[in-house]
């Protein structure tokens, strides 16, 4: 061993012989969870004063906590017996930063991204810290308090920008799931400390030979106006890295960006030479050589990329580092392949045992005859990904991350069955082994092992069935084809998109038959599909430029000492004498205006802008609840209203989006009025959501967990995981539990408490979300003080949640709750949609009417012998009635209490469209309705009905003629009902005409 040098530095050496056994054990494997007995130390000489003894003991304890087992030295001649297990490598990293350098250790975030619709999966350790980098973290949140952080983050790179799926198995280092070891500084330390810590950990704790390490730094970019990062270079030289091992690289290698816009900066990478032997491998760095690989990337976030493409300095500098555990363990265990480490070998052994074929040999390319070794790698990697994703709530499905996971599962199943010739069920049988390897670091895997196995088995069975169907379709299509022609692209696309048939398998099966697929035509369909999906929710909606404060504006507000918005008045409402809710207006001062991504003191008339106030009673959209609407007036100008269109919370500031009807100035005094009906409806549905959550757990079991929710004035949506399909009887029981609480008119208790205290509440229901500190607790029927009492089980008997939303003060105002829809989003996750109050009553009436009509049809079928054509007609009639009822109910929820409903809906025929109109008018007698339905042919169907209260001034026939004429079509009917059709080219104009005509008659 090398002699120790340097005061205070930790060096690896054999454990001192005089240490007691318990200390030796701690030295070798890290700290024990049990406190070791102090008894063996009683025989030690007492020659030092107590203070010196305590100091020496402290130094020893710190060394033991950070020490890596003796014999871990990274040496090309190291034997397997001295290799550190992966679990200890991970633990040593976390302890090093936590104990020696004062970092806060955080658990891994789930791989399902939180609050970032642009991401399919968490693909880097920094994802959960984006709000800090962007400056949008709420000042009172736990996130905003972080300065130094360390963790091991579960990451998935498959689908989207970072997609390693098709590379997995072909080589020995690509993975869909991997662990990212990382340490972060948020406005605390920067380059000097980050580089020093990294070098200390690698060379002194892990004892990787220095001559095998190479570091890179940003060499500058004249097109960006950026010079070389000589500061970083000089730091490495001062740390003793030879100049020949410190290498500059251009922007594409050593400049890291979060996205097209946002925080970014130069990075420095640490590379490892697997060969060593005193050679200089500088020429192989960043050249794709398997001998010289990057193991750690240190990113220095010091710029922000603007929309225009220019770079601006960030108000605060941050450090974001990431080191793949798999690569690090490969280095420390002296392996050349990640799959040869103990993160994978137990899984590979289990695969061999399950399939009974030849053992894994690590072969790649042409040497891997029959792709057997590739199959081992694919299955081992993919089953890890499946375990982690399913545990974190991503299940195989039909869109977004769920679709990607379905492809991962099906790819693994194919290699199991077609290459390894394993029996069905092999994939699920590997789950216990994965849990054994990763369970200590991620205990949630252990809890969900049975569910993971069930989901894998069910999806495997479904895919094997689809494979058989796909083979039959290909056989039939080939038989019908003309000789020497390409396989029909539309059939291949249908197999790929609808049955989930892998494209490479289609190619393989066609190749065996001497037939080819037109790849260009197929790729065109893929691109069209990608473009269509790019506009969907997974792509994320563009942030509104007037309500989303950028990092520079947030920094400017804080440097100008503009206080965060006091939004506590949003909770200032009471029950009046007669049970009505009373919302008080709120007086506030305009602190700043925001327009076109810049802070302004003045905004002219007609301009759209964000208004930042010192206080507000408006609720900003968060926690799944829609934002308030309403208006503000300037004091002294009561007749001029500034409508508030949306409200957003950003970095503690509440931004109200308005269109200025007159010039607005910073300093203006305003008064705020929320739309009381809309707010009360949101409050009702939010309290109903809490009740529904409680009722579902009560009926389906405590393992029922919330996966998401959304509350608007019209309805509520609630997603939850479930082991099997939810029956009608169970949904009825859920409704009954909710209605019982409504009838008791329970008090809704709300209070702010410290977050640490709140998290001790037994049975607390909280979703994976960042909460401010202190946090608001909402408890139905039980005072908050009671649920906070130590060992209290009160929260187990009612709904108790952490929630920042607005709620009813008593449950009786909800009146009723009706579940109008329940369906499985993917296997294991269900979604219910419910309505409350008057809408719930209407939903029940609609259901009763539908049941009566279906009973009537059933009776007709029983009363006489019915021919097959008549049976088909009755069946179609039932289907039409069902569709009409569903569409009518949806429109009623959307246009609650409106005198006129004008909308577009999908309908297969004019008769179904007319039935929807009839149903709407039956359920809302005072409403006049006109609906348009665009058809695939380019035709637009029109149906309308006018309320009898509006006759004779308002005629349905005249209404339909006016609308259909706008679409170059025809219409006819009576004063009460009418129908017609026209061309899709004039549909938008027809909707405008419909509204203008109705307004002129009412």
């Amino acid at each position: 061993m090398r002699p120790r040098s340097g005061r205070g530095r930790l060096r690896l050496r054999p454990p001192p012989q005089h240490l007691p056994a318990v200390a030796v054990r701690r030295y070798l494997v890290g700290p024990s969870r049990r406190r070791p007995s102090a008894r063996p130390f009683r025989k030690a000489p007492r020659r030092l004063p107590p203070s010196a003894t305590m100091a020496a003991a402290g130094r020893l304890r710190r060394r033991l906590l950070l020490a890596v087992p003796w014999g871990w030295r990274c040496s090309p001649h190291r034997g397997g017996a001295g290799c550190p297990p992966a679990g200890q490598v991970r633990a040593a990293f976390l302890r090093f930063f936590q104990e020696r350098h004062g970092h806060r250790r955080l658990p891994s975030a789930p791989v399902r991204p939180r609050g970032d619709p642009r991401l399919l999966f968490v693909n880097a350790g920094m994802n959960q810290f984006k709000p800090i980098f962007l400056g949008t973290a709420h000042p009172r949140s736990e996130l905003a308090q972080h300065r130094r952080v360390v963790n091991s983050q579960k990451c998935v790179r498959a689908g989207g920008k970072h997609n390693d799926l098709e590379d997995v198995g072909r080589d020995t280092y690509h993975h869909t799931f991997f662990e990212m070891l990382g340490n972060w500084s948020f406005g605390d330390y920067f380059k000097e400390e980050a580089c020093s810590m990294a070098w200390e950990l690698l060379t002194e704790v892990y004892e990787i030979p220095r001559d095998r390490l190479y570091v890179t730094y940003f060499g500058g970019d004249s097109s960006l106006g950026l010079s070389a990062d000589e500061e970083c270079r000089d730091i490495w030289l001062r740390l003793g890295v030879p100049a020949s091992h410190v290498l500059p690289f251009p922007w594409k290698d050593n400049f890291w960006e979060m996205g097209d816009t946002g925080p970014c900066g130069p990075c420095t990478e640490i590379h490892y030479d697997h060969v060593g032997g005193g050679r200089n491998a500088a020429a192989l760095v960043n050249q794709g050589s398997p001998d010289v690989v990057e193991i750690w990337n240190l990113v220095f976030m010091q710029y922000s990329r603007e929309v225009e493409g220019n770079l601006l300095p960030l108000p605060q500098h941050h450090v974001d580092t990431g080191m793949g555990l798999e690569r690090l363990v490969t280095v420390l265990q002296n392996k050349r392949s990640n799959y040869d480490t103990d993160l994978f070998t137990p899984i590979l052994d289990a695969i061999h045992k399950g399939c009974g074929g030849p053992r894994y040999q690590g072969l790649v390319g042409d040497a891997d005859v029959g792709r057997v070794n590739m199959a081992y790698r694919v299955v081992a990697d993919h089953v890890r990904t499946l375990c982690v994703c399913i545990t974190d709530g991503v299940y195989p499905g039909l869109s977004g991350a769920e679709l990607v996971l379905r492809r991962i599962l099906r790819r693994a199943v194919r290699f199991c069955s077609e290459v390894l010739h394993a029996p069905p069920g092999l994939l699920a049988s590997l789950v216990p082994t994965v849990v054994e390897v990763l369970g200590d670091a991620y205990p949630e895997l252990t809890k969900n092992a049975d569910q993971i196995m069930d989901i894998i088995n069910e999806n495997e069975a479904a895919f094997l069935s689809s494979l058989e169907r796909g083979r039959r379709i290909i056989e039939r299509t080939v038989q019908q084809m003309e000789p020497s022609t390409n396989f029909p692209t539309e059939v291949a696309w249908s197999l790929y998109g609808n049955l989930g048939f892998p494209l490479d398998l289609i190619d393989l099966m066609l190749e065996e038959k001497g037939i080819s697929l037109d790849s260009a035509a197929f790729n065109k369909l893929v691109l069209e599909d990608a473009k269509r999906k790019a506009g969907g929710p997974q792509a994320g909606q563009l942030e509104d430029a007037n309500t989303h404060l950028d990092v520079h504006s947030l920094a400017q507000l804080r440097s100008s000492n503009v206080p965060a918005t006091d939004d506590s008045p949003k909770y200032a409402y009471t029950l009046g004498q007669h049970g009505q809710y009373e919302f008080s207006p709120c007086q506030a001062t305009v602190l700043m205006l925001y327009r076109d991504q810049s802070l302004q003191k003045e905004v002219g008339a007609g301009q759209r802008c964000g208004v930042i106030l010192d206080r507000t009673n408006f609720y900003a959209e968060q926690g799944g609840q829609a934002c308030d609407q309403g208006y503000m007036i300037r004091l002294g100008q009561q007749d001029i209203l500034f409508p508030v269109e949306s409200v957003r919370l950003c970095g503690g500031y509440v931004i109200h989006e308005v269109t200025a009807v007159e010039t607005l100035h910073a300093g203006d005094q305003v008064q705020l009025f929320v739309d009381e009906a809309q707010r009360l409806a949101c409050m009702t549905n939010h309290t109903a959501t809490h009740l529904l959550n409680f009722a579902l757990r009560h009926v389906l079991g405590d393992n029922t967990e919330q996966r998401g929710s959304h509350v608007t004035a019209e309805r509520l949506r609630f997603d939850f995981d479930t082991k099997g399909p939810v029956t009608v009887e169970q949904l009825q029981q859920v409704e009954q539990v909710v209605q019982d609480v409504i009838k008791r008119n329970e008090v809704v208790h709300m209070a702010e408490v410290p977050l640490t205290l709140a998290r001790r509440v037994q049975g607390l229901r909280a979703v994976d979300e960042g909460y401010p500190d202190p946090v608001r607790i909402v408890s139905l029927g039980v005072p908050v003080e009671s649920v906070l009492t130590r060992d209290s089980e009160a929260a187990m008997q009612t709904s108790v949640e952490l929630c920042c939303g607005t709620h009813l003060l008593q449950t009786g105002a909800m009146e009723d709750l009706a579940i109008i829809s329940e369906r499985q989003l993917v296997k294991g996750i269900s979604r219910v949609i419910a309505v409350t109050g008057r809408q719930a009553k209407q939903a029940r009436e609609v259901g009763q009417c539908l049941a009566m009509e279906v009973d009537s049809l059933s009776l007709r079928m029983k009363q006489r012998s019915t021919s097959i054509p008549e049976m088909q007609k009755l069946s179609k009639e039932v289907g039409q009635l069902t569709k009409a009822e569903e569409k009518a109910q949806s429109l009623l929820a959307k246009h609650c209490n409106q005198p006129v409903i004008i909308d577009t809906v999908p309908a297969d025929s004019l008769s179904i469209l007319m039935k929807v109109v009839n149903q709407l008018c039956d359920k809302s007698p005072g409403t006049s309705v006109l609906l348009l339905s665009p058809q695939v042919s380019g035709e637009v169907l029109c149906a309308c009905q006018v309320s009898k209260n509006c006759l004779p001034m308002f005629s349905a026939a005249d209404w339909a003629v006016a609308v259909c004429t706008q679409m170059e079509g025809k219409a006819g009917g009576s004063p009460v009902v009418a129908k017609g059709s026209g061309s899709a080219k004039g549909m938008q104009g027809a909707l405008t005409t419909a509204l203008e005509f109705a307004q002129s008659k009412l």
Side-chain angles (χ1 to χ4, degrees):
M1 305 296 288
R2 293 189 302 273
R4 291 184 68 206
S5 62
R7 183 178 178 85
R9 290 196 175 185
L10 175 65
R11 308 294 297 171
L12 289 177
R13 61 195 191 288
Q17 299 301 312
H18 66 275
L19 283 182
V22 67
V24 171
R25 182 175 60 78
R26 288 191 71 194
Y27 190 94
L28 293 176
V29 299
S32 167
R33 293 186 180 181
R34 268 190 329 184
R35 180 175 296 175
S37 169
R39 188 169 181 176
F41 287 98
R42 289 178 182 171
K43 297 180 181 180
R46 298 184 180 180
R47 288 175 294 182
L48 295 174
S51 59
T53 303
M54 290 175 66
R59 286 194 297 273
L60 175 61
R61 184 166 58 251
R62 284 194 295 276
R63 278 196 194 114
L64 297 180
L65 283 167
L66 295 173
V68 181
W70 175 53
W72 282 25
R73 182 191 301 280
C74 185
S75 163
H77 306 295
R78 183 182 57 225
C83 294
Q88 290 185 20
V89 174
R90 184 194 299 111
F93 180 93
L94 298 171
R95 290 202 309 270
F96 174 80
F97 284 101
Q98 182 181 13
E99 300 292 339
R100 171 157 287 195
H101 294 290
H103 288 60
R104 182 176 181 183
R105 179 174 172 178
L106 295 181
S108 170
V111 295
R112 177 186 285 278
R114 184 178 69 202
D116 194 342
R118 293 169 178 79
L119 279 180
L120 290 170
F121 301 98
V122 165
N123 57 23
M126 54 74 60
N127 290 158
Q128 65 175 308
F129 304 118
K130 272 188 180 181
I132 300 179
F133 299 136
L134 296 170
T136 58
H138 194 286
R140 289 198 295 123
S141 67
E142 279 187 298
L143 203 57
Q145 312 311 313
H146 295 328
R147 291 295 173 266
R148 298 180 175 210
V149 166
V150 63
N151 86 337
S152 177
Q153 174 62 47
K154 299 174 290 187
C155 298
V156 174
R157 288 189 178 172
K161 179 182 176 183
H162 299 287
N163 185 7
D164 291 343
L165 180 55
E166 292 306 319
D167 293 321
V168 171
R170 300 180 192 280
D171 54 39
T172 61
Y173 50 87
H174 273 100
H175 303 290
T176 51
F177 164 74
F178 64 97
E179 298 178 67
M180 183 75 85
L181 302 173
N183 61 289
W184 289 267
S185 164
F186 307 117
D188 188 355
Y189 60 81
F190 203 45
K191 296 179 184 180
E192 180 94 38
E193 296 89 339
C195 295
S196 177
M197 291 176 197
W199 194 248
E200 179 186 6
L201 177 65
L202 293 179
T203 63
E204 298 186 19
V205 176
Y206 290 136
E207 284 207 335
I208 297 175
R210 297 167 184 246
D211 62 356
R212 290 201 180 195
L213 296 175
Y214 295 80
V215 296
T216 66
Y217 66 95
F218 178 53
D221 191 309
S222 57
S223 66
L224 295 173
L226 295 176
S227 56
D229 191 357
E230 295 178 355
E231 177 189 3
C232 180
R233 179 200 64 190
D234 294 344
I235 290 169
W236 288 119
L237 294 174
R238 287 198 299 273
L239 286 169
V241 183
S244 60
H245 285 218
V246 183
L247 312 170
F249 279 89
W251 173 85
K252 73 179 182 67
D253 293 306
N254 278 78
F255 196 91
W256 187 91
E257 302 196 61
M258 185 186 293
D260 294 334
T261 61
C264 56
C267 63
T268 182
E269 297 174 344
I270 303 174
H271 296 248
Y272 174 76
D273 177 16
H274 277 285
V275 176
R279 70 170 185 167
N280 188 321
L284 297 177
V285 173
N286 277 337
Q287 299 304 311
S289 168
D291 293 334
V292 180
V293 295
E294 174 202 337
I295 58 173
W296 205 345
N297 187 12
L298 285 62
V299 179
F300 307 123
M301 292 197 190
Q302 58 189 95
Y303 301 107
S304 175
R305 172 82 68 183
E306 301 303 293
V307 176
E308 299 80 11
N310 59 309
L311 296 175
L312 293 179
L314 277 175
Q316 270 196 325
H317 290 173
H318 308 295
V319 173
D320 162 19
T321 86
M323 175 160 56
L325 175 67
E326 291 77 9
R327 285 194 182 182
L328 175 63
V329 172
T330 299
V331 168
L332 294 179
Q333 292 185 358
N334 197 32
K335 306 294 184 183
R336 295 300 300 272
S337 162
N338 295 355
Y339 291 92
D340 292 335
T341 68
D342 64 343
L343 287 168
F344 288 93
T345 50
I347 305 172
L348 296 170
D349 291 342
I351 294 171
H352 169 66
K353 184 178 178 182
C355 71
R359 281 190 173 276
Y360 176 70
Q361 297 175 286
L363 303 175
V364 295
D366 294 338
D368 183 19
V369 179
R371 301 193 303 166
V372 171
N373 289 266
M374 178 179 177
Y376 267 96
R377 289 188 290 268
V378 167
V379 175
D381 171 89
H382 288 8
V383 73
R384 285 170 25 115
T385 305
L386 288 164
C387 288
V388 168
C389 287
I390 292 170
T391 293
D392 285 350
V394 182
Y395 301 151
L398 298 176
S399 64
E402 286 78 11
L403 176 59
V404 174
L405 194 65
R406 186 178 80 153
R407 288 177 179 160
I408 289 172
L409 185 145
R410 293 186 165 195
R411 189 169 187 254
V413 170
R414 277 184 50 224
F415 276 95
C416 282
S417 63
E418 296 176 9
V419 180
L420 298 175
H421 307 294
L426 171 66
L427 199 59
S429 74
L430 303 175
V431 171
T433 308
V434 175
V435 171
E436 186 179 343
V437 173
L438 297 175
D440 286 345
Y442 310 109
E444 59 272 18
L445 286 168
T446 306
K447 177 183 172 185
N448 292 286
D450 290 341
Q451 181 192 24
I452 297 168
M453 294 174 70
D454 289 344
I455 289 174
I456 289 176
N457 277 329
E458 289 168 7
N459 279 272
E460 179 180 20
F463 179 49
L464 291 174
S465 173
S466 295
L467 279 179
E468 189 54 41
R469 286 174 60 198
R471 286 192 181 95
R472 290 199 300 269
I473 290 171
I474 290 175
E475 292 285 351
R476 188 170 62 249
T477 305
V478 169
Q479 289 172 7
Q480 296 170 354
M481 284 171 54
E482 296 290 334
S484 303
T485 57
N486 284 332
F487 190 79
T489 308
E490 62 274 12
V491 176
W493 177 252
S494 177
L495 288 169
Y496 176 77
N498 298 329
L499 288 183
F501 221 77
L503 181 58
D504 57 349
L505 183 58
I506 297 173
D507 284 333
L508 185 64
M509 293 179 70
L510 293 178
E511 184 182 327
E512 291 170 354
K513 299 178 182 300
I515 298 170
S516 61
L517 176 67
D518 186 345
S519 299
F522 188 88
N523 290 336
K524 183 180 177 184
L525 291 175
V526 172
L527 285 173
E528 289 173 358
D529 184 61
K531 286 179 183 176
R532 186 167 60 252
K533 288 177 179 174
Q538 194 65 50
Q541 302 300 317
L542 289 175
E543 308 280 14
D544 193 296
N546 294 324
T547 58
H548 184 73
L549 297 172
D550 63 20
V551 64
H552 302 292
S553 298
L554 282 163
Q556 186 179 337
L557 287 169
R558 287 163 185 155
S559 64
S560 302
N561 295 319
V562 175
T565 310
D566 173 13
D567 61 352
S568 60
K570 68 188 178 189
Y571 300 125
Y573 49 89
T574 57
L575 275 174
Q577 266 187 328
H578 304 292
Q580 79 283 8
Y581 278 81
E582 296 177 351
F583 301 88
S584 302
C586 172
Q587 188 168 323
T589 302
V590 177
L591 299 180
M592 195 69 70
L593 302 165
Y594 186 67
R595 185 170 182 272
D596 296 334
Q597 292 192 306
S598 68
L599 296 171
Q600 302 177 14
K601 294 282 188 180
E602 179 181 309
V603 168
Q607 293 184 329
R608 202 185 192 93
C609 68
V611 180
I612 300 171
L613 306 168
D614 62 336
R615 59 200 307 266
T616 183
N617 58 347
F618 276 72
Y619 183 84
E621 181 163 1
Q622 56 182 319
Q625 179 179 328
C627 67
D628 280 338
Q629 295 173 354
Y631 62 92
M632 63 175 70
I633 62 171
R634 206 157 23 198
L635 291 185
Q637 294 181 321
Q638 318 301 72
D639 56 336
I640 300 176
L641 306 183
F642 294 82
V644 177
E645 299 162 27
S646 68
V647 189
R648 185 184 182 92
L649 181 65
C650 193
Y653 298 98
V654 177
I655 303 98
H656 309 70
E657 187 176 30
V658 305
T659 299
V661 292
E662 282 196 355
T663 302
L664 268 174
H665 304 87
D668 283 350
Q669 299 292 305
V670 296
Q671 202 164 20
L672 304 166
F673 298 83
V674 299
D675 181 328
E676 297 183 4
Q678 191 252 2
R679 161 67 84 83
L680 182 56
C682 282
M683 288 163 50
T684 301
N685 287 341
H686 202 153
T687 304
T689 302
H690 284 216
L691 258 179
L692 184 63
N693 189 4
F694 168 73
L696 284 164
R697 289 167 67 100
H698 181 79
V699 173
L700 302 179
D702 288 338
N703 289 329
T704 306
E705 295 288 347
Q706 177 178 344
R707 291 296 182 186
S709 68
H710 191 244
V711 174
T712 66
E714 291 77 31
R715 64 181 189 175
L716 63 97
R717 186 197 77 212
F718 191 82
D719 301 341
F720 59 98
D721 57 14
T722 175
K723 291 187 179 296
V726 184
T727 66
V728 173
E729 291 74 19
Q730 287 173 322
L731 291 176
Q732 289 171 337
Q733 291 174 38
V734 168
E735 285 186 339
Q736 191 58 55
V737 171
V738 173
Q739 287 156 12
D740 289 345
V741 179
I742 293 172
K743 287 175 185 173
R744 293 200 300 269
N745 197 24
E746 299 278 16
V747 174
V748 180
H749 299 273
M750 292 168 274
E752 283 195 347
V753 301
L755 187 57
T756 52
L757 186 61
R759 283 182 169 154
R760 292 207 296 261
V761 174
Q762 291 191 49
L764 178 73
R765 280 166 286 283
V767 294
D768 175 41
E769 191 172 298
Y771 293 99
D773 191 7
V775 67
R776 194 170 177 82
I777 289 185
V778 178
S779 172
L780 302 189
V782 178
V784 173
E785 310 84 67
S786 299
V787 301
L788 290 174
T789 304
R790 186 176 293 276
D791 299 327
S792 170
E793 296 187 0
M796 308 288 284
Q797 313 304 321
T798 187
S799 167
V800 180
E801 298 193 27
L802 303 183
C803 183
C804 61
T806 57
H807 288 270
L808 296 174
L809 300 176
Q810 291 180 257
T811 60
M814 207 179 302
E815 297 180 7
D816 193 7
L817 177 139
I819 296 172
I820 61 173
S821 168
E822 185 276 329
R823 66 184 180 93
Q824 278 206 325
L825 297 178
V826 294
K827 189 72 177 176
I829 295 185
S830 285
R831 167 172 291 176
V832 294
I833 294 174
V835 290
T836 57
R838 180 185 168 195
Q839 287 177 267
K841 183 181 178 183
Q842 288 176 339
R844 294 188 191 286
E845 291 173 354
V846 168
Q848 290 165 3
C849 290
L850 178 59
M852 289 171 61
E853 294 193 45
V854 171
D855 290 343
S856 173
L857 290 170
S858 300
L859 186 61
R860 284 162 55 189
M861 293 175 68
K862 290 176 182 176
Q863 285 177 341
R864 67 174 188 269
S865 176
T866 310
S867 67
I868 290 178
E870 287 175 333
M871 296 267 293
Q872 290 173 337
K873 183 181 177 184
L874 285 171
S875 177
K876 186 176 181 181
E877 198 172 330
V878 171
Q880 289 178 345
L881 284 168
T882 304
K883 287 181 179 179
E885 293 284 2
E886 290 173 351
K887 290 183 173 70
Q889 187 58 49
S890 175
L891 287 167
L892 268 177
K894 183 178 177 182
H895 301 278
C896 184
N897 302 323
Q898 297 296 318
V900 177
I901 295 177
I902 298 169
D903 212 328
T904 60
V905 295
D908 296 336
S909 66
L910 193 53
S911 62
I912 293 178
L913 188 64
M914 197 73 240
K915 285 181 184 294
V916 177
V917 171
N918 297 154
Q919 291 286 350
L920 276 169
C921 292
D922 287 347
K923 304 310 165 191
S924 185
T927 302
S928 298
V929 179
L930 183 142
L931 299 179
L932 300 180
S933 180
Q935 304 295 297
V936 177
S937 62
E939 183 184 27
V940 176
L941 306 179
C942 171
C944 65
Q945 182 170 333
V946 169
S947 170
K948 292 178 181 178
N949 300 337
C950 300
L951 298 173
M953 294 293 294
F954 195 178
S955 164
D958 294 344
W959 199 14
V961 167
V963 170
C964 291
T965 300
Q966 180 70 32
M967 298 188 293
E968 301 177 357
K970 296 180 180 180
S974 70
V976 178
V977 294
K979 56 189 176 181
S981 64
S983 169
K985 290 187 292 184
M987 191 172 75
Q988 290 303 318
L991 290 169
T992 304
T993 299
L995 180 59
E996 291 173 349
F997 186 94
Q999 289 174 337
S1000 69
K1001 301 297 181 183
L1002 295 176

